[in-house]
């Protein structure tokens, strides 16, 4: 960082560890661990942490604040798409297909992989958000 300065971002109350997952346009996302759980958080441009509701494993954020990650669904087969801290939609496994969205693109698409539940190999997959 040329002539830059580091600024520590505060953990939310009860948080003691964080795994940073992404940064874009002044926002940072990460997994915060507390005594009894881990949850997704976004640090907005003001530097304050905000919980990502139902976001158990946030994975990526784009320049507009669209976040993709795994929800708190116990099956671990549901993924969410958030606009900063608002859950906009969910994507789930179907009877015959598994999914794993991982990247939130600046053009409004979500990229990851999907596979046939009958032993299919993972293949690149793109979901369009409208």
């Amino acid at each position: 960082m040329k002539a830059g300065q580091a600024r520590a971002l505060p953990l939310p109350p009860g948080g003691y560890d964080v795994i940073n997952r992404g940064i874009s346009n002044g926002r940072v996302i990460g997994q915060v661990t507390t005594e009894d759980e881990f949850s997704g958080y976004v640090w907005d441009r003001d530097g304050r942490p905000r919980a990502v509701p139902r976001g158990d494993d946030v994975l990526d954020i784009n320049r507009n604040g669209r976040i993709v990650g795994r929800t708190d669904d116990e099956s671990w087969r549901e993924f969410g798409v958030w606009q900063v801290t608002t859950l906009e939609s969910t994507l789930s496994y179907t009877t015959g297909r598994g999914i794993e969205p991982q990247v939130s693109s600046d053009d409004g698409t979500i990229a990851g992989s999907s596979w046939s539940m009958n032993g299919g190999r993972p293949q690149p997959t793109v979901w369009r958000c409208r």
Side-chain angles (χ1 to χ4, degrees):
M1 175 184 312
K2 184 178 178 182
Q5 293 181 3
R7 175 176 69 145
L9 299 173
L11 288 173
Y16 64 84
D17 191 27
V18 65
I19 300 171
N20 294 313
R21 300 286 185 161
I23 183 170
S24 186
N25 200 15
R27 293 181 179 104
V28 175
I29 60 169
Q31 292 306 114
V32 173
T33 304
T34 62
E35 270 189 40
D36 52 351
E37 66 181 4
F38 60 90
S39 300
Y41 276 81
V42 58
W43 285 260
D44 215 333
R45 293 179 188 111
D46 63 7
R48 292 184 5 211
R50 290 175 178 81
V52 176
R54 297 197 57 215
D56 270 8
D57 192 12
V58 293
L59 300 170
D60 196 34
I61 185 170
N62 75 5
R63 71 173 173 222
N64 298 318
R66 177 164 281 150
I67 297 170
V68 64
R70 194 178 304 273
T71 70
D72 60 356
D73 184 79
E74 291 181 11
S75 73
W76 282 71
R77 293 182 170 198
E78 181 184 75
F79 293 81
V81 178
W82 292 263
Q83 183 59 44
V84 187
T85 59
T86 301
L87 180 61
E88 291 187 326
S89 63
T90 58
L91 305 164
S92 297
Y93 281 38
T94 63
T95 304
R97 196 145 193 90
I99 64 168
E100 190 163 348
Q102 297 174 322
V103 179
S104 183
S105 174
D106 289 339
D107 70 1
T109 57
I110 303 296
S113 59
S114 65
W115 58 92
S116 168
M117 297 300 261
N118 297 325
R121 294 176 187 234
Q123 59 191 116
T125 307
V126 176
W127 294 265
R128 166 74 55 200
C129 298
R130 298 179 200 175

